[in-house]
Amino acid sequence: MKKAIIGKKVGMTQIFDEAGKVIPVTVIEAGPCVVVQKKTEEKEGYAAVQLGFEDIAERKLSDPEKGHLKKAGVPMKKHLKEFRLENTDELNVGDVIRADAFQEGDHIDVTGTGKGHGYQGAVKRHGAQRTPTTHGGGPVHRHAGSMGSTSTPSRIFKGHIGAGQMGVDQVTVQNLDVVKVDPELNMIVVRGAVPGPKGGIVYLKNTVKTIVEKKGEAGVSVNPQKASARVNPQKASARTK
């Protein structure tokens, strides 16, 4: 069953597993989220639910936003996000989704807005190569260089690398493990890093990846051709005489 929730990135830390190994994790304040709108196949042509997250003062919302939330009869929410879930028939407007919708061991995709890096040049933004710094290179070592021919096509192709705003893009990290869930603190702890700064809004949902469960440990091969030199008598390193 597909699950989804809106959360806020708290930050990164580390925990230790039973074997004493360090696990880098990201702490996410997930929910509680309220169902603001429900879309059906008959009316909208697809099944989905719109979730609202984080309370906000009514005066800080626009009139259309306030009317949308008042029509649903739910508290004023700052962030709204639509998710296509398989169990939309079981959800109704006003239902609350909490962090315990996810369990330890779940695999999720986390979507957020990456950190902004401001206005950057072509070298940092695209990894372009700079010119040599000797033999009369001039003050153009980190410039973008030639943009294209003059007569043909007499223009710069769309999408050509160059200087510009860097970052603040939607980024999705797939197939992260849920390490811990604390319903009382509305906390979901995820293995690894997620996009965005501290306090950034992130969207959690079941991964689109196909999870293949690991089987038992592979047995020891009995093929003498695959045996190591320590046990294969045909190899010189294993001969005792």
Side-chain angles (χ1 to χ4, degrees):
M1 182 180 69
K2 290 185 177 180
K3 299 172 287 186
I5 197 170
I6 307 174
K8 181 187 294 185
K9 180 178 176 180
V10 178
M12 290 198 70
T13 183
Q14 61 184 24
I15 60 177
F16 297 88
D17 60 6
E18 295 78 2
K21 294 183 179 180
V22 175
I23 302 176
V25 296
T26 301
V27 180
I28 300 174
E29 179 188 348
C33 296
V34 61
V35 178
V36 176
Q37 186 181 17
K38 181 177 178 180
K39 297 187 177 182
T40 60
E41 291 279 356
E42 295 77 15
K43 187 175 181 181
E44 286 83 12
Y46 66 98
V49 291
Q50 186 185 68
L51 303 182
F53 172 68
E54 194 173 2
D55 294 333
I56 188 174
E58 183 176 342
R59 59 182 175 82
K60 294 184 178 181
L61 296 177
S62 65
D63 289 341
E65 291 172 334
K66 288 186 288 188
H68 178 63
L69 294 169
K70 287 181 179 179
K71 181 180 179 181
V74 298
M76 299 294 107
K77 295 296 180 179
K78 185 176 181 180
H79 305 283
L80 301 177
K81 178 67 174 178
E82 183 179 291
F83 298 95
R84 296 193 182 190
L85 306 177
E86 296 175 349
N87 62 331
T88 53
D89 295 337
E90 304 173 7
L91 299 173
N92 297 307
V93 175
D95 291 349
V96 178
I97 299 178
R98 305 183 185 277
D100 55 4
F102 292 89
Q103 304 296 329
E104 295 182 13
D106 287 349
H107 298 268
I108 62 174
D109 295 341
V110 181
T111 302
T113 302
K115 293 182 179 180
H117 296 272
Y119 191 92
Q120 299 297 335
V123 173
K124 180 173 182 178
R125 190 177 182 216
H126 299 285
Q129 184 179 6
R130 62 169 177 79
T131 61
T133 56
T134 58
H135 302 292
V140 294
H141 303 298
R142 298 177 68 88
H143 287 200
S146 175
M147 294 284 103
S149 303
T150 53
S151 59
T152 304
S154 298
R155 63 186 177 87
I156 299 175
F157 287 117
K158 187 176 182 179
H160 195 283
I161 68 170
Q165 293 293 332
M166 182 179 177
V168 197
D169 297 320
Q170 179 174 293
V171 182
T172 300
V173 180
Q174 295 182 332
N175 198 18
L176 297 178
D177 300 338
V178 176
V179 178
K180 185 178 180 181
V181 177
D182 192 332
E184 297 182 359
L185 298 177
N186 298 321
M187 180 179 68
I188 295 179
V189 181
V190 179
R191 182 193 301 266
V194 302
K198 295 179 181 178
I201 296 299
V202 293
Y203 308 111
L204 288 68
K205 59 184 179 180
N206 291 88
T207 183
V208 297
K209 297 285 188 180
T210 300
I211 306 302
V212 179
E213 297 294 337
K214 292 184 178 180
K215 299 180 180 180
E217 296 183 359
V220 179
S221 175
V222 296
N223 188 344
Q225 300 298 327
K226 295 183 179 181
S228 65
R230 291 188 296 272
V231 298
N232 190 348
Q234 300 298 326
K235 293 190 175 182
S237 59
R239 295 173 184 170
T240 56
K241 295 183 181 179

